[in-house]
């Protein structure tokens, strides 16, 4: 790939220190193959005879990163949506055999081609909004074969679309019906063997779990994390979503990349995350859908310097949301993040939550993942609702 130069751009570099958004108002960029070769003020642009494109003052951000999703699943839960509107709570639906377990039935029944065909439109909706990296979890199989099938589909998505896919093994998502009341047996007989097999097949980039009264206890999650460590895999956790079991502190004590949801996180959990450098991944789509009233402790996270990321949590139950732009808006409106924090949460800090060190900011040497927007102010990306101003998306240097 030859070099390309973009001129007359407003660059939201998202570098942490300096101007809000790391903004360079009269900026230029040189791409060389799949990398950013140079990025800075246009007045400093080095001499080059590479082809130039005048961006007419458009805004350039790092390609967006959705660091928490469950886009691969069978069926949908529109019926459950109706039930909840009639008054049933998320936990009641789950305990009555609905919830995650009903998606497990539909996912087990779907072959690989069906799962792929169902997931691609969701991925395409994200891509259309400038997403260039996406995390995808398993966790709706809860048997060895289906967990592996979900992860294979996730890998296929990365081959079929110009997007980086990071997979997370989420076998500890729910206890399947045939193991009801026998959670440890499920871990020993299904979840941990599935993790080892998926890892052997090269299908796992990280290991996740759901630490909650309706799912797995901290001790049970610790068992999963111990196996992850033995395999050399990083961990992360759905923690403190519906109650406070100390999941985030447990995750931090295992050096987790992130603790996600964390509406019920307390000050001790915040300190543990700060000490371990664990990213707080906030999921306003689930907060909104479940009509949660307790917001995550954003002030405490800020005060402790915990990096904050934002993600769709795209899944059929608690967050049927396939828009990262809407997620930015929700992060600001529901959690009172600033638009700068929200954009950092879907770029710089989302990269960190995935352990990706080569993206999330516009900087020489970083991967050429860019989103070019028909807006001039970065705050416009979080401010509008249901409006997509993407002009062009570049993933690994390619349009
Ligand atoms: O991230 N919290 C657990 N897992 C998903 C919900 C999955 C579902 O309801 O299907 C979440 O919100
Ligand atoms: Fe989730």
């Amino acid at each position: 790939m030859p070099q390309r130069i973009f001129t007359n751009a407003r660059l939201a570099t998202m570098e942490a220190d300096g101007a809000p958004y790391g903004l360079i108002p009269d900026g230029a960029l040189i791409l060389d193959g799949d990398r950013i070769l140079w990025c800075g003020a246009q007045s400093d642009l080095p001499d080059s005879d590479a082809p130039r494109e005048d961006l007419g003052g458009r805004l350039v951000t790092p390609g967006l990163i959705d660091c928490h999703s469950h886009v691969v699943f069978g069926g949908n839960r529109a019926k459950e949506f109706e039930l909840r509107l009639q008054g049933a709570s998320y936990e009641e639906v789950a305990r009555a055999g609905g919830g995650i377990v009903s998606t497990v039935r539909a996912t087990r029944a779907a072959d690989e081609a069906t799962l792929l065909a169902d997931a691609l439109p969701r991925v395409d909706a994200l891509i259309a909004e400038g997403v260039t990296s996406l995390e995808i979890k398993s966790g709706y199989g809860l048997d060895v074969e289906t967990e592996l099938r979900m992860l294979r589909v996730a890998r296929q998505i990365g081959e079929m679309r110009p997007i980086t896919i990071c997979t997370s093994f989420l076998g500890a998502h729910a206890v399947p019906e045939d193991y009801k009341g026998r959670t440890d047996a499920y871990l020993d007989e299904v979840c941990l063997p599935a993790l080892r097999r998926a890892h052997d097949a090269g299908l796992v980039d990280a290991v996740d779990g759901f630490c909650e009264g309706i799912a797995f206890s901290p001790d049970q999650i610790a068992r999963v994390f111990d196996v992850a460590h033995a395999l050399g895999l990083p961990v992360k956790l759905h923690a403190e979503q519906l109650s406070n079991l100390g999941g985030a502190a447990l995750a931090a004590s295992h050096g987790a990349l992130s603790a996600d949801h964390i509406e019920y996180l307390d000050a001790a959990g915040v300190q543990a995350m700060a000490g371990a450098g664990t990213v707080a991944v906030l999921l306003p789509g689930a907060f909104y859908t479940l009509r949660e009233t307790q917001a995550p402790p954003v002030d405490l996270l800020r005060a402790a310097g915990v990096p904050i990321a934002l993600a769709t949590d795209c899944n059929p139950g608690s967050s049927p949301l396939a828009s990262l732009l809407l997620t930015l808006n929700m992060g600001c409106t529901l959690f009172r993040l600033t638009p700068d924090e929200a954009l950092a949460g879907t770029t710089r800090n989302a990269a960190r939550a995935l352990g990706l060190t080569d993206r999330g900011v516009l900087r020489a040497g970083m991967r050429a993942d860019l989103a070019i927007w028909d807006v001039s102010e970065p705050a416009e990306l979080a401010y509008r609702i249901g409006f997509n101003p993407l002009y062009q998306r570049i993933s690994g240097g390619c349009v």
Side-chain angles (χ1 to χ4, degrees):
M1 261 184 286
Q3 288 188 4
R4 305 164 64 184
I5 302 180
F6 291 109
T7 61
N8 195 13
R10 288 170 70 75
L11 304 179
T13 66
M14 302 315 294
E15 292 282 15
D17 305 318
Y21 307 97
L23 194 71
I24 302 176
D26 300 300
L29 272 166
I30 307 177
L31 305 189
D32 187 10
D34 68 353
R35 297 284 133 184
I36 297 173
L37 181 68
W38 185 90
C39 157
Q42 186 157 332
S43 53
D44 299 331
L45 184 65
D47 273 347
S48 166
D49 47 17
R52 289 176 175 229
E53 186 178 337
D54 183 325
L55 289 182
R58 289 188 178 88
L59 180 76
V60 182
T61 66
L64 300 188
I65 299 172
D66 188 357
C67 65
H68 180 138
S69 96
H70 311 245
V71 293
V72 174
F73 57 83
N76 71 69
R77 306 237 290 275
K79 275 271 170 298
E80 175 180 320
F81 179 61
E82 288 179 318
L83 275 180
R84 278 194 282 111
L85 284 168
Q86 287 159 21
S89 73
Y90 185 66
E91 279 159 302
E92 281 162 359
V93 168
R95 290 192 197 281
I100 293 173
V101 165
S102 75
T103 297
V104 170
R105 281 193 291 272
T107 305
R108 288 179 179 176
D111 62 17
E112 214 161 298
T114 305
L115 289 176
L116 182 63
D118 284 0
L120 282 175
R122 297 187 270 272
V123 175
D124 288 340
L126 294 167
I127 285 175
E129 291 187 346
V131 172
T132 50
S133 301
L134 169 66
E135 187 255 17
I136 301 179
K137 302 174 194 299
S138 69
Y140 289 120
L142 311 184
D143 64 29
V144 177
E145 290 313 318
T146 316
E147 286 295 304
L148 265 74
R149 186 155 79 243
M150 290 184 73
L151 293 167
R152 280 197 299 272
V153 169
R155 286 281 192 247
Q156 278 181 56
I157 290 170
E159 283 156 23
M160 294 181 68
R161 292 292 188 268
I163 188 166
T164 301
I165 300 294
C166 299
T167 58
S168 298
F169 176 83
L170 180 56
H173 192 198
V175 181
E177 275 165 324
D178 42 332
Y179 278 93
K180 222 173 177 163
R182 296 188 300 131
T183 305
D184 282 291
Y186 167 70
L187 290 178
D188 289 325
E189 292 166 22
V190 181
C191 179
L192 298 175
L195 170 54
R196 291 193 180 92
R197 268 193 52 192
H199 172 67
D200 286 348
L203 293 171
V204 185
D205 298 324
V207 175
D208 198 351
F210 185 20
C211 186
E212 192 58 66
I214 55 169
F216 297 85
S217 71
D219 285 350
Q220 288 159 344
I221 293 294
R223 294 185 56 206
V224 177
F225 283 178
D226 286 343
V227 174
H229 286 309
L231 298 174
L233 293 168
V235 300
K236 55 175 77 176
L237 190 62
H238 288 69
E240 272 76 87
Q241 180 188 9
L242 307 168
S243 63
N244 182 1
L245 298 186
L250 170 82
S253 75
H254 283 77
L257 291 170
S258 68
D260 304 32
H261 287 287
I262 57 171
E263 279 86 345
Y264 287 82
L265 183 67
D266 61 13
V270 171
Q271 286 313 319
M273 289 176 68
T278 298
V279 177
V281 177
L282 308 187
L283 304 170
F287 177 88
Y288 166 85
T289 301
L290 302 180
R291 303 183 77 226
E292 271 287 347
T293 49
Q294 174 148 339
V298 168
D299 288 341
L300 293 180
L301 293 168
R302 270 189 197 124
V306 175
I308 298 174
L310 269 180
T312 61
D313 193 18
C314 180
N315 76 65
S318 66
S319 189
L321 168 64
S323 168
L324 200 53
L325 287 176
L326 180 53
T327 304
L328 287 176
N329 176 271
M330 288 174 155
C332 296
T333 301
L334 298 174
F335 298 159
R336 312 312 288 166
L337 296 182
T338 67
D340 191 0
E341 287 171 326
L343 198 54
T346 52
T347 54
R348 184 179 72 240
N349 292 340
R352 182 163 166 181
L354 295 178
L356 297 172
T357 54
D358 66 344
R359 66 197 72 191
V361 291
L362 301 179
R363 185 191 302 155
M366 290 280 159
R367 200 178 133 88
D369 284 356
L370 317 177
I372 307 174
W373 307 92
D374 259 324
V375 305
S376 50
E377 293 307 321
E380 288 180 61
L381 298 178
Y383 148 75
R384 289 203 179 86
I385 302 170
F387 182 75
N388 180 3
L390 187 74
Y391 168 74
Q392 196 175 92
R393 169 189 179 279
I394 296 178
S395 175
C398 297
V399 176

